[in-house]
Amino acid sequence: MSVPQGRRSSTFTRLLRHGFTDPSGAERLLDTPALSGVRSDPLLLDALGATADPDLALLGLVRLVEAQERADGDAGRRELLDTLVTAKPLRDRLLGVLGASEALADHLARHPADWRALVTYEHSDLHPGIEEFERGLAGADDPDALRAAYRRSLLSIAARDVCGTTDVAQTAAELADLATATLRAALAIASAAAPTDAALCRLAVIAMGKCGGHELNYVSDVDVIFVGEAVEGEDEGKAVQAATRLASHMMRICSDTTVEGTIWPVDANLRPEGRNGPLVRTLSSHVAYYQRWAKTWEFQALLKARPVAGDAELGAAYIEAVSPMVWQAAERENFVADVQKMRKRVIAGIPAGEVDRELKLGPGGLRDVEFAVQLLQLVHGRSDTSLRSGTTLDALAALAERGYVGRVDAVQLDDAYRFLRTLEHRIQLYKLRRTHLVPEDDADLRRIGRSMGMRTEPLTDLSRAWKRHTSVVRRLHEKLFYRPLLDAVAQLAPGETRLSTEAARERLVALGYADPTSALRHLEALASGVSRKSAIQRTLLPVLLGWFADSADPDAGLLGFRKVSDALGKTPWYLRLLRDEGAAAENLARVLSAGRLAPDLLMRAPEAVALLGDPHGLDPRPAAQLEQEVLAAVGRADGVEQAVAAARGVRRRELFRTTAADLIASYGTEESPAVADQGALVDRVGAAVSDLTAATLAGTLRAVVRDGWGDQLPARFAVIAMGRFGGHELGYGSDADVLFVYEPREGADEQEAARAANKVVGEMRRLLALPSADPPLLIDTDLRPEGKTGPLVRTLKSYEAYYRRWSLVWEAQALLRAQHVAGDADLGAAFIELIDPLRYPAEGLGDDAVREIRRLKARMESERLPRGADPTLHTKLGRGGLSDVEWTVQLLQLQHGHALPGLRTTRTREALAAARAADLLPEQDAATLDEAWVLASRVRNAVMLVRGRAGDTFPSDGRELGAVGRYLGYDPGHVGDMLDDYRRITRRARAVMEERFYGAP
């Protein structure tokens, strides 16, 4: 029968108004015979319009009515429709489920009689528990029957959930209780199938994770641990085997997929040794494992453990045995390192394309809240038993009640957690699939938004709410772990509870602070009071404390921050910079807690903090610009000592710029991850420090000449860089190896010129080494002709005469890295022209010269390595260290430099690359040598950064060694891996060196 156009138009409009997105399809469904008698009932249309997806709800209803008619005829159809129209609670629940879950609509189409399960609780405010669910599963004596019964019970939970009868916490608790009843039923089916096995053993099922915590999702792995014991008089080995068979069968019943679907996977991977360990252990075996081998995360997982099925007495004994160990986990030596690794592993495991949609593991997600709550429980639950709840929201409430978390913070996190869990539930409910990804499809988002009460603009409102709540959770580590530390030392509003001094100390110890008492004093000095400065510090410190705790030396970071704040606290720009420029605050935290050198440089000029907030403040400065600034500073100063002090002041600031850039690139920040190219980091530091040293020498030379001779010295004078300085490879702890050369000016007296040149050298060395707030720059001239016994400065002709008559092969080798860096450029160029034939001999090296170089190297290895030093860990003279690589490269330069222009460079890595390009070294050998050289250089820089003084070996102090490891990219607790890697890399380099340098087979 055709429908009049006017009526169709009116119905179409009504359907749109009620939220249908496909009014034409909805009209066709309403006109089906199945809905005869109710299609025009306004109550039905209103109820459909109130669902999350009216189109989905209507389709599900038609399928259910048709299935009911097939099962029970027209009488069954009319019973369903009559009840639907007359009973509002049933109508809301049934249509609510059909509009939110396609999977449960499928279940009802297979089992149409199950709609009656929604009547069971419609007149009751009581919520079902385990016993009620067990009654609902009674009679399910095979796996398929159990799966169908499980879905029937799930239907009632979902109905109360989508209608708002239960909140998300109660829904999660009901899901956990249903899981408990299901595990018991599955174990009963498995035991009935194998009565002999059941008679041999006692088996306890321990729920873990969300099931153990009474906060299960609609679709989630149910994490369990199995404990088995022999029945009295039975053999233990046979009993454990029997228990294993029962446990395996129980898991299959729940996990296998049939026409009735899957209940959920049962996951036993949280057991000792994970999937590699036995599925069932005895109680004593569990205890032995946790006492000897368990990691911190395993005790964190046990926070939620509870017996749910099988032998109740054995389950209780298990909990009683492991609980004391859970509450001692925070006292473990590696607690902080384990915690830091767990935090990083959460984010690192998410595929890059899913991070922004990941509800559970993503930044600001559910795991962040759960992790922080559990961390606080482990720290404070040792002495406060009120915190020992396995349920996240209950534990959060207890933490707030006892003052471990601020009340406002707890309310915000409770709201955020409830929102995120509700969103997760609605996503999973649609198809009953295990997922934590927010959908991208607008139709899915619209359904979810409407299901959460967002009816006007569901897509926009859902997106806005989600972002708001994740933003709150992203601050959870600050909110839950650090801010109460400030409350412990600051005045609180009346009625507020604050962390006790002892609890604050416990938390600081858990964070890795070695001296919590001093740390509390620093916090009190920084944050107490009512001044604007204190208020800003209270805003900054929670974040800074987290960054300090993520370093190798949190105490040093906090102490350094207090010193800088004392020096700059009254400067208006300082706190504003840290508050308003997030990068500046994090950069400062990284710099202050990474070692001694950078903080020492900063304390002598705290205003350099401003560099950390400038987007380009840490970029290396060009050599010409550095020299220009140093010369300008020298020109403005009165007197030679003030002029050189000005030059050293520029050097100090630029050293801080370089160390800060290096640390931040090596450690990484939230905005800028660590730089992976270690060679690039070494090259950048080497070039920056070398350019800065050259500029400082140029400024010092200018100051000395101006003070003693005015505009012009009676001699032309040049500074030649040698060693790592000439190679642009200086480290933070390197001296400046140089040669000095002069030439009398035309018409000048030669003796006067010589006296002037020697005085210049003496003054430069004295002024640059004067005790001062600035680090000294030591000048080393031991590579000059005749060594320590030779004159400090020579004329060009004197150098020529010496090199022609007396020079040894090692001096030609040393000259490979000679480069003019300061003073008269023409004289410097003439010196380089003079030595080129010596360092790049036209005929290469004769056999005698090669033997001499090899002999010298062998002698150096045997005589110069410090007594007691480990030759496998000495970065300069040890096996595969800097000396091995550099002598190998330099021998190739001496042999082939005249014929191969690419080898005529002062830089080791450039020469190594040229040797590889010229096929003088196989590519793999060159790469091995390069890797070892870069690593050894990085270690030397790390030692100087961490200890504040130069060193060629790894520190012996554990905290300093950990800081070196962090600089090199190793996570806390992995210094052993660092040392093993160093030995492995340098061992390979030594093998290449022995073959290529000594000619060993």
Side-chain angles (χ1 to χ4, degrees), residues 63 65-73 109:
R63 294 176 62 206
V65 174
E66 290 176 343
Q68 183 68 69
E69 187 173 22
R70 287 193 299 271
D72 295 329

Side-chain angles (χ1 to χ4, degrees), residues 201 228-230 235-245 278 280-282:
C201 66
E229 293 287 347
D235 178 76
E236 183 180 277
K238 291 181 179 179
V240 170
Q241 291 175 0
T244 300
R245 289 190 291 270
V280 178
R281 287 175 182 258
T282 62

Side-chain angles (χ1 to χ4, degrees), residues 701-716:
L701 175 59
R702 172 73 61 86
V704 170
V705 170
R706 185 188 66 179
D707 181 66
W709 295 272
D711 293 335
Q712 185 170 281
L713 193 68
R716 297 160 60 207

Side-chain angles (χ1 to χ4, degrees), residues 818-897:
Q819 185 179 47
H820 170 258
V821 291
D824 191 292
D826 291 337
L827 181 58
F831 181 85
I832 298 301
E833 184 179 356
L834 166 68
I835 65 171
D836 272 351
L838 188 66
R839 58 183 180 175
Y840 307 127
E843 303 300 326
L845 285 184
D847 292 343
D848 290 344
V850 171
R851 281 193 294 272
E852 177 63 12
I853 289 177
R854 290 171 175 167
R855 187 188 67 80
L856 288 171
K857 177 70 170 70
R859 179 181 172 188
M860 183 178 71
E861 291 177 12
S862 63
E863 295 179 0
R864 293 184 58 188
L865 189 70
R867 181 176 297 178
D870 184 345
T872 68
L873 294 176
H874 197 279
T875 59
K876 183 176 181 180
L877 301 174
R879 294 195 286 269
L882 296 171
S883 174
D884 277 2
V885 177
E886 290 167 2
W887 280 62
T888 302
V889 172
Q890 289 161 14
L891 179 58
L892 293 174
Q893 288 180 286
L894 289 167
Q895 290 174 316
H896 305 283

Side-chain angles (χ1 to χ4, degrees), residues 213-361:
H214 266 101
E215 50 191 15
L216 197 61
N217 300 330
Y218 278 103
V219 188
S220 176
D221 291 354
V222 171
D223 297 306
V224 299
I225 286 176
F226 295 108
V227 188
E229 293 287 347
V231 170
E232 187 174 354
E234 298 292 343
D235 178 76
E236 183 180 277
K238 291 181 179 179
V240 170
Q241 291 175 0
T244 300
R245 289 190 291 270
L246 288 176
S248 299
H249 190 186
M250 187 200 82
M251 293 174 70
R252 289 195 301 274
I253 291 170
C254 297
S255 304
D256 286 353
T257 301
T258 68
V259 67
E260 295 295 344
T262 302
I263 300 177
W264 17 247
V266 176
D267 188 341
N269 287 340
L270 291 178
R271 66 186 185 269
E273 300 180 77
R275 66 184 60 194
N276 297 319
L279 183 63
V280 178
R281 287 175 182 258
T282 62
L283 178 57
S284 61
S285 176
H286 277 282
V287 171
Y289 172 84
Y290 287 120
Q291 287 176 337
R292 297 188 60 189
W293 308 111
K295 298 181 174 61
T296 301
W297 71 263
E298 293 180 274
F299 293 112
Q300 185 172 347
L302 286 169
L303 274 171
K304 295 181 179 293
R306 67 183 178 95
V308 290
D311 192 297
E313 183 180 346
L314 179 57
Y318 174 87
I319 298 300
E320 183 180 358
V322 301
S323 287
M325 290 183 274
V326 172
W327 304 113
Q328 294 166 4
E331 301 170 7
R332 293 162 63 94
E333 184 177 349
N334 59 344
F335 177 74
V336 176
D338 288 345
V339 165
Q340 291 169 333
K341 283 187 287 186
M342 283 188 286
R343 286 178 61 204
K344 293 178 179 177
R345 196 161 53 227
V346 167
I347 304 297
I350 307 173
E354 297 179 358
V355 172
D356 293 336
R357 298 193 294 124
E358 173 61 68
L359 266 178
K360 180 180 178 181
L361 304 179

Side-chain angles (χ1 to χ4, degrees), residues 522 525-526 533 537 540-541 544 548 555-575 577-578 584-585 587-589 591-593 595-612 656:
H522 298 326
L526 288 163
K533 171 186 171 183
Q537 291 281 26
L540 290 170
L541 276 166
L544 289 167
F548 293 149
D555 299 81
L558 181 56
L559 174 61
F561 181 69
R562 180 181 176 184
K563 288 180 178 179
V564 173
S565 295
D566 288 345
L568 294 177
K570 295 180 180 179
T571 308
W573 56 265
Y574 167 64
L575 290 175
L577 171 76
L578 298 184
N587 289 345
L588 178 61
V591 167
L592 290 176
S593 55
R596 296 181 183 177
L597 179 61
D600 286 348
L601 293 169
L602 180 61
M603 297 311 168
R604 290 162 181 161
E607 65 277 1
V609 166
L611 296 174
L612 302 176
F656 173 73

